[in-house]
Amino acid sequence: MPDLPKHYDHQAAQTRCRGLWDSLRLWHAEPPAAGEPPGRVFSIVIPPPNVTGALHLGHALNNTLQDILVRARRMQGFRTLWMPGTDHAGIATQAVVERRLLEEEKLSRHDLGREALVARIWAWKEQYEQRILGQLRDLGASCDWDRVRFTLDEQCAAAVREAFFRLFQQGLVRRGKRLVNWDTFLQTAVSDDEVFHEEVKGHFWHIRYDVIDPEAGEPESVTVATTRPETLLGDTAVAVHPDPAAALAAVEQDLRQKRAAATAKEQPAIDAALDDLAARRRDLLPRLETLTAMARAGRQVRLPLLGRAIPLVADEWAKPEMGSGCVKITPAHDPNDYDVGRRQNLPMVNILNPDGTLNAEGGPYTGLTMKKARQQVVADLEAAEQLEQIEDRLIDLAHSDRSKTPIEPYLADQWFIRMAELAQPAIDAVADERIRIVPERYAKGYLDWLSEKRDWPVSRQLWWGHRIPIWHVAGVSEADLVAAFGDRETIAWTSDEAGGWFVCSSDESLPVDTVAGQPLERDPDVLDTWFSSALWPHSTLGWPAATPELACFYPTTTLVTSRDILTLWVARMVIMGLFDTGELPFREVSIHPKILDRYGETMSKSKGNGVDPVDVIEALGADALRFALAGMATETQDVRMPVDFQCPGCGHLVEQTTSNRTKPRIDCPKCGQAFRTQWATSEADLALPRGPAVSEKFEAGRNFSNKLWNATRFVLMSLGEKPAFPLPSLEPDSLELADRWLVSRLASVAREASAAIDEYRYAELARILYGFAWDEYCSAYLELSKSRLADPARQAQARAMLLLGLDTILRLLHPIMPFVTEEIWQHLREAAGTRRMPWDDQTAPLPESIMVAPWPAPPAAWIDEQTEKQFATFLAVVGGIREIRARQNVPPRQRVPAAIRCPAELASLLEPMRGAIESMAVVELTGLGPTAAGAADATTATAAGCDLLVDLADLVDVDAEIARLEKDNAKTAGFIKAKQAKLANEKFTARAPAEIVAGERAQLVELEERLAKGREALAALQSRQARAR
RNA sequence: GGGCAGCUAGCUCAGUUGGUUAGAGCGCCACGUUCACACCGUGGAGGUCACAGGUUCGAAUCCUGUGCUGCCCA
C-alpha cells in the first residue's frame, strides 16, 4: 500500500482526475447505433454562459447542480448527455467590446465599420470562450466536450435562419412601428429587460399652451406639466379627461374605502387628499368640463415655441385629480403618450436622430443634444413668458443597463413575432404539467407572463448577432419575384404595404442581387440574442437536420436555471421548441437560487462583489466549492455569501465591504502587506500579489474532503498486506450489531440520497451525505472497527465492511465532489481492485473510474429500524459517559471505572458492545445490568434508560458538581411542572390523539425518574462534601 | 401599483402533513497533539423562531394584518 500524505492535495488530484476522464472520454455520449435500443436517456443542455466575461459564482452554482444530476444519472446507467456551449449575448458583448474600443483606442464602431467591429468581437469571443470552458473544466463539469456549441456558430445559425423563415412563411413575423428604449450611446434599441431605473433629481416644468381663438367663457390657455420640456417639440395634442366629474367621483370613492380600512395614523393623510379632491371639484371641475366639451368640438391649442396648432383631445390618460388635469401628448417619445396617440389617431412626430440629437422636426433646435435642447427650450419658454412654475422633483429615469446612459423612448420600425398563436401551447404545457417547474411556485410567473401574449420585438440595431434574413426590394411586381425565386422553397416574401416587398430566405444569402433590375437590400438589423437561445435545446442537437442526436436526446430531460430568466429564456424555448419540432424542449425545470453578497445585493463584476470560482478552486479545491454551492441550493430564493479577501502574504481574511470592494489594492491590516484585487490596472498595483476573494463557507467542503481522505488512509492501513476482498458476509445472523447498523444506514442513506436527486433537493443531498460520512461512518463505525481489526477472528469481516461503507459513500458523494471521490477510488482500486459491491457486475472487472461505477442500490430489506434504535442506545451511553468526563475535566487518556445500571434487555444488547464502550468512552466497565453498582461516590448521569455511574474518585470537583446538579435538577423540575400542567388540562387529554398523550405521560415518568436520580446524586455529593469538612 | 419570496443562534442556513426540551456548519469557550485526520477529537455556551392579532388541547409551522429586505412584472 502506498503511503498517503496526511493532507489531501486537491490540486494534484484535480489534474490527475481530469486527465483520466479526458483520456477515457467518459463524459461523451453517443446516440445508439442503428438497431440498438437507446435504453434510459438523460439529457441536459447547459444554459450557455455569455461570452461577455468570465464565469462567476452564480455560474458555478448553476453548473455544479447540472453536473450533480448528470453524474448521478450516468452512474445510474442512463445514456447521459450534457451539451455544453456559450452564448454570443448580442448587445452585452458588443457593448463591452465597444466600450473597450472607446477607452483604449478612442474609436467608435462607426470608425471601424461593421466587418471590422464584428471581427474584434469574434476575437473577444475566442478569448472568453476559452476562459469559460476552462473554468467549467476546472469546476469538474462532465459536459460532452466533443460537442461544444456556440449560439452564433454555423450549426446554430442554420437553425436560426430556418426557424425564422418558417415563422415568416406562416405570417407570424410582422413589421411595425414601436416605441423602443433607445440607447443613444450604443445607438440601438434595448429591450425592457435591459433597462434599469434610477431616481435622479429633476424638475417639473409647468408650461402654458394658449387656446386658439377662445370663445366667450372658455379658458384662454391650458397648463401642462412635464419633466421633459424639450419633448414638447414632438407634441401632437393636449389631452383632458373625457368625463372629469366621473373620474373624480371614482377617485373619491376609492379614497373613502381606503379611509374606512385605514388606521388612525393614516387617516389624516387621506382626509387631506379628500379635502384636496373637494377643492378640485369646486375650483377646477367646471373648467375641465369646458375643456372636455372643447375637445369634443375639435378645438385646438397652439404649441409654444413652434407655433404649431395641435388638437385638444379627450382621453382617459389625463388625470383630473392631478396637476392641472391636462397633459401634453408626445406619442413618439413616451410610452403612455404612444398609447394615447394610437387611440386618438394622432400623428407621431419623431424629433430624434439615432445619436440623440434633434432632427429637422426640432425647428430652431435641430442638431442640439437633448440636454442642450432642454436648456434652450426652458430659456425660450421663460423669455416667452409661457413658463408658469418650476418644481423640484425626483424623477424615475430609465437607463440602459449596457451603456449606463439615459434611455430615450424612440419610435422605430422593428420586426415582431406574433405571440397570439405561439404562446398558447407553451401555456398549456406548464398548465397541464407536461412541463414541471420545481419549485412549483415559479410556474405562476411563467404563466402570467405568457398569458399577456405580447408580440416579441426581435430586431436589434446591432452588428453582433444573427443578421435578420430579410431583404427589401421596391418597384417590382409579385410576378417579378415569382420569376426570380418561384422555384425555391427556401424563399418567401410579403408585401411591405408601400409597394415594395420583404423577401425572406432560410439560406445564408439570396441567389441574386437584383430582381427585375431593382436592388435587394438586406435588413441591417440582427435578431434579439434570445432568439438563438430559444432554439438552444434543438439547434445544438442538429435541428433542422434529422440527426441521430436529435432523435435520441431531444426532448431533453431537465433544464437547470436561475429564476430570473424564466420568461426571457425558458418560456421562449418552450415556444420555439414546440413550433420547430412539435415537442417540448424539456420535461422538468429545476430553478435554483441566486447568490448574493453580505448586503443582500446580487453579485456582479461591475459592482466588484463577485468571486471568481477559480480563486476558490485553486485555494480550497473544486470539491470544496461544489460542496458549499450544493449545500446552499435550497428552495429559498436568495443565499447570502459574505466574501473576504485573502491576504496572499499572511492568509488573513479582510472583509469585503462596499467601501473596499472596488479598490485596486488593499493593505492587509494584519501583516501590512499590500495586495491587488480584480480592479488593479496600474503597473504598480499589478506587480502586487493577488488577494483572491474567498468565503469561509467553502472551508467546510475542504475539511470534508480531507476527512474522507483520512478515513481512506485509515481503511487502507487496515487492509493489511495481502488484501483479497470478497463481498462481506451480509447474513443478518452472522453480523455484529455495528455491521447490521452500518448496512441499515447505508441502505437508508442511499435511498434518501437518490430521492433528493430525483427531486432536485441538492442541499439536502449534501447534508445527508456529510452527516452520514462524518458523524456515522467516521466517528462511530470507524472508531468501533479499531478493536475488531486487532482481533484476527473478526478482522476479515471488519475490513470488508469498512470497504463496503467507504466505497458506497464515495459513489453517493461523487456527483457533488467528483475529484476527491475519484482520487480516493483510484487508490482503493489499486489496493483492493478485486472487491465488488453488491450492485456491481460480479463477473466484470471493477470500472476504470468511479464516474461510471454503478450507483449504490442497497435493497430495502437492509433497513432495520430496530438495529438503528439499538445502536442509538449504545451511542447515547458513550456520549453520556464522555459528558461526565468532559464536565469534570478528566484527562482524555485516563481510564476510569464505570458501571451501567440498566434493564436486563438493554444489558444483553450492550453486552457485545462492552469493548466498544470501554474504548470509545475510555472506561473500565465494572458492571452492566440491573444490579450493577458503581463506586459509593460515583458521578452519575442517565442516558437512553441507563444509569451511568462513573467513579471519578478524587478527580471530581464536588462543589462544581453540586452546583451543576442543582441547576440541572431545577431545569428538570421546570419541565415536569410544564408537563403536569399540560396533562392536567382536560382539553388536551380529551382532544389530542391518544399516542401524543401517552407520549407525554411517558416523558413525565422519565423526567420524574431523572429528577429523583438527580436528587439522590445531589444528596450523595452533599454528604460527601460534609464529610470532607 | 400588482405578484412571488424571505425574516429562526454572532454569521450563513435547515426545520417534512401543527405534537417531546427548535437543529447544522462556521465562529465562540474549555480540555486534548492519541496511533486516519489539529483541515482533528470530546464537551459546552448561545434562540421571546421580525411584530401584532386569530384558529387550535397544542403554532417556528395554519389564517389575517403590520414592518423590513430581495426579486419579478407594470
Side-chain angles (χ1 to χ4, degrees):
Chain A
M1 190 208 75
D3 271 343
L4 299 187
K6 274 171 83 166
H7 283 147
Y8 167 62
D9 179 350
H10 62 263
Q11 285 183 326
Q14 279 161 203
T15 308
R16 208 154 30 225
C17 294
R18 273 233 312 277
L20 176 74
W21 300 334
D22 288 350
S23 66
L24 296 174
R25 290 169 71 245
L26 294 175
W27 28 253
H28 181 67
E30 275 295 321
E36 186 194 345
R40 294 187 301 173
V41 174
F42 184 84
S43 58
I44 284 190
V45 289
I46 198 171
N50 292 348
V51 289
T52 324
L55 300 188
H56 52 67
L57 272 188
H59 296 106
L61 171 64
N62 176 254
N63 288 294
T64 294
L65 302 186
Q66 291 176 78
D67 200 40
I68 288 173
L69 299 178
V70 163
R71 286 182 182 270
R73 295 300 178 214
R74 197 182 283 122
M75 290 172 77
Q76 288 169 0
F78 285 76
R79 188 183 292 271
T80 302
L81 171 67
W82 183 10
M83 175 69 73
T86 52
D87 195 305
H88 69 283
I91 191 168
T93 313
Q94 182 171 330
V96 169
V97 174
E98 275 194 67
R99 196 162 3 176
R100 275 173 68 106
L101 192 65
L102 189 68
E103 279 168 12
E104 292 173 6
E105 300 172 49
K106 308 272 176 268
L107 293 176
S108 80
R109 72 168 134 151
H110 301 290
D111 297 327
L112 228 56
R114 186 162 189 153
E115 245 177 75
L117 183 81
V118 169
R120 293 279 187 119
I121 306 175
W122 271 106
W124 174 278
K125 172 257 171 184
E126 295 299 339
Q127 183 189 341
Y128 275 91
E129 183 185 47
Q130 282 317 302
R131 174 103 184 266
I132 288 166
L133 297 179
Q135 284 178 304
L136 284 174
R137 282 171 171 262
D138 286 347
L139 186 66
S142 62
C143 305
D144 189 339
W145 298 112
D146 291 348
R147 297 183 186 275
V148 179
R149 299 246 67 91
F150 176 54
T151 51
L152 212 51
D153 67 21
E154 190 36 53
Q155 182 177 316
C156 291
V160 162
R161 287 193 306 267
E162 178 67 23
F164 189 85
F165 178 75
R166 290 189 188 186
L167 289 164
F168 184 91
Q169 217 176 12
Q170 296 189 23
L172 296 171
V173 174
R174 70 171 174 88
R175 182 86 167 151
K177 290 266 186 223
R178 178 168 180 266
L179 201 62
V180 296
N181 303 304
W182 191 257
D183 182 325
T184 55
F185 176 78
L186 295 169
Q187 300 197 19
T188 177
V190 298
S191 69
D192 290 344
D193 318 297
E194 293 157 331
V195 168
F196 69 95
H197 293 259
E198 208 172 73
E199 288 215 319
V200 298
K201 280 184 188 169
H203 303 285
F204 207 40
W205 282 274
H206 297 251
I207 307 168
R208 198 181 72 242
Y209 287 31
D210 295 325
V211 174
I212 296 174
D213 302 331
E215 291 171 10
E218 288 182 355
E220 296 189 354
S221 69
V222 295
T223 302
V224 297
T226 177
T227 57
R228 306 183 61 207
E230 70 282 7
T231 61
L232 74 79
L233 303 170
D235 281 3
T236 55
V238 167
V240 291
H241 196 279
D243 187 352
L248 285 175
V251 172
E252 186 180 342
Q253 199 192 346
D254 203 46
L255 276 173
R256 291 205 182 280
Q257 268 177 13
K258 246 189 205 160
R259 190 184 187 285
T263 61
K265 208 169 104 191
E266 296 161 342
Q267 281 176 1
I270 299 177
D271 285 339
L274 281 166
D275 287 348
D276 177 61
L277 213 56
R280 278 177 175 273
R281 191 189 298 280
R282 191 176 61 236
D283 305 333
L284 192 62
L285 185 56
R287 180 187 167 93
L288 286 177
E289 291 191 313
T290 308
L291 286 168
T292 305
M294 290 164 69
R296 295 198 193 287
R299 305 291 300 280
Q300 294 181 310
V301 298
R302 190 165 305 286
L303 185 63
L305 306 181
L306 296 185
R308 207 161 63 215
I310 57 174
L312 264 176
V313 298
D315 191 280
E316 290 180 358
W317 170 239
K319 305 286 179 215
E321 72 275 16
M322 286 166 65
S324 68
C326 300
V327 60
K328 68 196 252 328
I329 303 298
T330 323
H333 297 285
D334 180 277
N336 291 304
D337 292 4
Y338 176 72
D339 292 339
V340 176
R342 306 243 312 190
R343 278 198 292 273
Q344 306 292 339
N345 264 321
L346 297 172
M348 306 207 175
V349 178
N350 180 8
I351 60 170
L352 268 188
N353 289 315
D355 64 358
T357 59
L358 292 182
N359 64 20
E361 296 285 355
Y365 307 95
T366 301
L368 297 180
T369 63
M370 288 296 258
K371 198 175 160 191
K372 288 223 169 106
R374 173 176 305 175
Q375 291 167 356
Q376 196 58 49
V377 163
V378 168
D380 292 349
L381 284 171
E382 208 146 14
E385 292 185 348
Q386 292 194 279
L387 206 52
E388 299 202 323
Q389 196 191 342
I390 306 175
E391 284 179 71
D392 288 335
R393 171 175 281 219
L394 280 178
I395 298 161
D396 183 51
L397 191 61
H399 289 74
S400 165
D401 202 26
R402 302 304 176 194
S403 68
K404 314 297 175 197
T405 56
I407 286 289
E408 295 293 343
Y410 179 82
L411 202 61
D413 280 321
Q414 303 286 330
W415 291 104
F416 292 83
I417 294 175
R418 287 165 51 105
M419 277 297 134
E421 299 86 349
L422 290 170
Q424 195 56 47
I427 293 174
D428 295 342
V430 167
D432 59 25
E433 295 184 352
R434 275 173 295 140
I435 290 181
R436 197 164 76 92
I437 296 177
V438 185
E440 257 176 81
R441 65 173 185 276
Y442 291 113
K444 186 175 162 51
Y446 171 101
L447 292 171
D448 287 351
W449 187 81
L450 273 182
S451 64
E452 291 181 23
K453 300 186 180 175
R454 278 178 300 172
D455 286 354
W456 176 11
V458 284
S459 40
R460 294 288 181 274
Q461 290 67 44
L462 290 174
W463 292 347
W464 175 243
H466 293 278
R467 194 153 172 188
I468 292 178
I470 290 182
W471 287 256
H472 185 257
V473 60
V476 300
S477 68
E478 186 155 21
D480 295 330
L481 293 170
V482 173
F485 306 124
D487 58 338
R488 299 183 84 101
E489 285 177 1
T490 57
I491 293 176
W493 55 83
T494 181
S495 161
D496 72 354
E497 291 174 8
W501 302 91
F502 291 120
V503 179
C504 183
S505 168
S506 60
D507 295 328
E508 211 177 339
S509 57
L510 292 180
V512 293
D513 293 336
T514 58
V515 173
Q518 298 297 320
L520 284 153
E521 299 280 355
R522 183 156 190 184
D523 194 299
D525 288 357
V526 299
L527 285 165
D528 180 7
T529 193
W530 294 108
F531 190 89
S532 53
S533 313
L535 313 184
W536 188 245
H538 55 283
S539 66
T540 51
L541 290 168
W543 186 90
T547 61
E549 282 80 3
L550 196 64
C552 176
F553 297 112
Y554 189 89
T556 66
T557 317
T558 300
L559 179 80
V560 180
T561 187
S562 96
R563 62 199 149 82
D564 43 1
I565 47 176
L566 193 60
T567 51
L568 291 180
W569 188 44
V570 180
R572 283 169 179 162
M573 273 192 287
V574 178
I575 287 172
M576 291 310 295
L578 281 169
F579 178 76
D580 285 343
T581 72
E583 287 194 90
L584 296 168
F586 30 73
R587 305 289 183 216
E588 300 198 330
V589 181
S590 168
I591 305 280
H592 59 75
K594 299 207 77 162
I595 297 177
L596 310 176
D597 68 6
R598 75 172 74 235
Y599 305 105
E601 296 178 35
T602 53
M603 285 191 173
S604 73
K605 190 146 191 189
S606 55
K607 270 186 209 154
N609 57 356
V611 173
D612 185 341
V614 174
D615 276 354
V616 183
I617 290 171
E618 281 176 7
L620 299 168
D623 292 323
L625 174 66
R626 295 169 59 113
F627 179 76
L629 292 173
M632 288 190 288
T634 62
E635 288 203 351
T636 42
Q637 291 200 72
D638 307 322
V639 187
R640 286 194 192 204
M641 164 96 74
V643 167
D644 302 301
F645 294 107
Q646 186 176 34
C647 170
C650 66
H652 181 68
L653 296 179
V654 184
E655 245 181 47
Q656 185 187 69
T657 63
T658 40
S659 55
N660 71 13
R661 69 192 188 189
T662 51
K663 287 189 175 162
R665 64 180 282 168
I666 291 171
D667 295 313
C668 174
K670 192 167 172 209
C671 68
Q673 277 185 52
F675 56 85
R676 74 182 154 92
T677 70
Q678 61 168 320
W679 299 101
T681 49
S682 76
E683 245 172 70
D685 288 342
L686 284 171
L688 296 168
R690 169 87 192 263
V694 298
S695 165
E696 62 180 24
K697 299 218 64 147
F698 301 119
E699 286 173 21
R702 187 266 317 258
N703 296 350
F704 188 32
S705 298
N706 199 55
K707 187 73 179 176
L708 294 167
W709 179 254
N710 278 292
T712 306
R713 287 180 65 216
F714 174 81
V715 171
L716 289 179
M717 282 184 222
S718 310
L719 290 182
E721 287 304 316
K722 284 188 224 159
F725 302 100
L727 275 174
S729 163
L730 297 174
E731 283 300 309
D733 294 343
S734 71
L735 289 182
E736 299 188 20
L737 174 65
D739 290 350
R740 287 210 308 278
W741 172 78
L742 180 67
V743 158
S744 176
R745 292 297 301 141
L746 285 175
S748 302
V749 167
R751 297 173 95 74
E752 286 166 21
S754 303
I757 290 169
D758 290 347
E759 290 153 36
Y760 309 112
R761 287 182 276 115
Y762 313 96
E764 198 182 325
L765 175 70
R767 205 170 46 240
I768 289 168
L769 296 174
Y770 180 85
F772 176 68
W774 199 304
D775 299 335
E776 303 193 78
Y777 183 74
C778 290
S779 296
Y781 190 83
L782 211 134
E783 288 302 323
L784 276 177
S785 73
K786 287 179 180 173
S787 59
R788 295 168 66 189
L789 288 164
D791 178 354
R794 298 155 74 206
Q795 198 177 53
Q797 175 74 5
R799 286 173 175 167
M801 290 300 294
L802 280 170
L803 269 176
L804 174 72
L806 182 58
D807 184 292
T808 307
I809 287 169
L810 293 176
R811 294 196 201 189
L812 293 175
L813 215 40
H814 177 73
I816 300 180
M817 307 177 87
F819 293 107
V820 67
T821 50
E822 179 73 276
E823 178 74 2
I824 291 175
W825 210 72
Q826 292 301 330
H827 284 296
L828 285 182
R829 201 166 172 278
E830 210 170 295
T834 58
R835 75 184 190 283
R836 297 288 182 280
M837 295 298 110
W839 31 87
D840 284 336
D841 181 340
Q842 303 299 314
T843 57
L846 210 56
E848 286 178 281
S849 160
I850 192 173
M851 200 169 147
V852 287
W855 186 251
W862 282 15
I863 299 175
D864 178 354
E865 277 182 37
Q866 190 59 25
T867 293
E868 292 196 21
K869 222 166 137 188
Q870 288 174 351
F871 200 77
T873 304
F874 155 72
L875 288 178
V877 166
V878 171
I881 299 173
R882 280 174 170 173
E883 191 185 332
I884 292 171
R885 299 176 56 101
R887 217 160 59 209
Q888 295 297 336
N889 278 332
V890 177
R893 297 174 76 175
Q894 181 166 346
R895 195 164 292 277
V896 293
I900 301 170
R901 188 163 58 222
C902 61
E905 55 182 67
L906 273 181
S908 64
L909 170 79
L910 289 173
E911 190 56 42
M913 306 301 284
R914 182 182 272 268
I917 293 169
E918 289 189 323
S919 72
M920 283 179 73
V922 199
V923 291
E924 186 181 340
L925 272 189
T926 57
L928 172 61
T931 59
D937 291 329
T939 302
T940 65
T942 60
C946 305
D947 294 335
L948 310 174
L949 312 161
V950 183
D951 181 9
L952 297 175
D954 299 334
L955 293 165
V956 73
D957 177 342
V958 177
D959 292 344
E961 187 64 7
I962 285 175
R964 191 198 62 80
L965 271 173
E966 280 172 343
K967 198 176 146 196
D968 215 42
N969 289 344
K971 207 169 153 190
T972 311
F975 289 141
I976 289 174
K977 213 173 154 190
K979 282 277 175 256
Q980 283 170 336
K982 195 168 185 183
L983 284 161
N985 183 347
E986 275 176 34
K987 283 182 178 170
F988 171 67
T989 49
R991 297 192 197 185
E995 67 213 47
I996 298 289
V997 178
E1000 293 284 317
R1001 287 226 168 86
Q1003 278 163 39
L1004 180 60
V1005 170
E1006 203 185 302
L1007 284 168
E1008 281 169 339
E1009 272 174 24
R1010 192 199 299 176
L1011 183 59
K1013 282 169 186 163
R1015 285 186 170 148
E1016 207 176 292
L1018 183 61
L1021 275 170
Q1022 279 165 339
S1023 73
R1024 178 171 169 179
Q1025 189 183 42
R1027 282 202 308 276
R1029 283 186 182 147

